Amino acid sequence: MIEIDLKNNLHKVLLFIGIVSIFMFGYYLTPNKGFYDRMLKTRIEENYNGKVLEKYTDSSNHCTPMLKLSNRNIALENTFWDEVNIKDSIVKIKGESFITLYRKDRTKIIFDYEKYFEKLSKKNKPK
C-alpha cells in the first residue's frame, strides 16, 4: 500500500499556488500595453471641471500630484500638472480622452491621455 504524506504535499501545493499568484499579480501591475489601456479607460471615464484653487502633492498617496478645484480634488499626471497654474480653468468630459486647460490670457492647452499612455507604452516595451 502506498502512503501519501498529505501534509507535505499540501505545503507544496500551497507554495506553488502562492508563487503563481505572485507572478500573475506582478504581471498585472507591470507597465505593459494592457496596464496602460486600463489606465486610459479609467481616465476616459472621469468627468470634472472647475477653477484651480490649489496645487499640491498628496503625501499619503505616493506623492500624487493633485489639484484642488472649486468643487473637488483631482489627481493628474506629473507632466500635465506642471503646466497648470492657480486660477486656470480645467475641463474633462466623460468619454473624452483629453483634458482642456484654459488660462487667464485665453490660452488653451490640451492634454491627451491617449497619446500620453501610448508614449509610455512604447517607452516601457520589453526589449
Side-chain angles (χ1 to χ4, degrees):
M1 195 160 149
I2 300 174
E3 239 182 83
I4 300 174
D5 185 0
L6 288 177
K7 187 176 181 181
N8 195 24
N9 285 338
L10 181 62
H11 283 95
K12 288 178 183 177
V13 168
L14 290 176
L15 179 64
F16 176 75
I17 290 171
I19 290 171
V20 169
S21 298
I22 289 170
F23 279 110
M24 289 175 61
F25 186 69
Y27 178 77
Y28 182 78
L29 293 179
T30 301
N32 58 33
K33 178 99 173 92
F35 174 81
Y36 292 118
D37 288 345
R38 289 188 301 275
M39 292 295 296
L40 176 60
K41 187 176 179 181
T42 299
R43 292 302 197 186
I44 286 174
E45 291 302 309
E46 293 180 334
N47 183 50
Y48 51 84
N49 64 71
K51 193 174 209 177
V52 179
L53 303 177
E54 182 183 346
K55 289 175 62 172
Y56 64 98
T57 54
D58 185 354
S59 58
S60 66
N61 191 15
H62 308 287
C63 291
T64 302
M66 302 288 292
L67 296 179
K68 181 178 182 179
L69 304 181
S70 43
N71 58 353
R72 66 185 282 197
N73 296 343
I74 59 167
L76 283 183
E77 275 59 37
N78 287 342
T79 53
F80 189 59
W81 186 79
D82 292 338
E83 298 291 322
V84 178
N85 297 320
I86 304 297
K87 296 186 181 176
D88 288 347
S89 294
I90 191 166
V91 177
K92 168 61 182 80
I93 300 170
K94 184 176 182 174
E96 300 288 344
S97 67
F98 59 89
I99 302 171
T100 308
L101 182 72
Y102 298 95
R103 295 244 166 96
K104 293 183 296 185
D105 66 1
R106 301 204 184 266
T107 303
K108 180 175 158 181
I109 300 172
I110 305 288
F111 180 75
D112 190 333
Y113 279 116
E114 196 164 358
K115 290 178 183 176
Y116 174 75
F117 288 124
E118 183 65 31
K119 184 178 175 182
L120 287 178
S121 179
K122 287 179 182 176
K123 180 181 173 185
N124 292 316
K125 191 178 261 188
K127 297 172 183 166

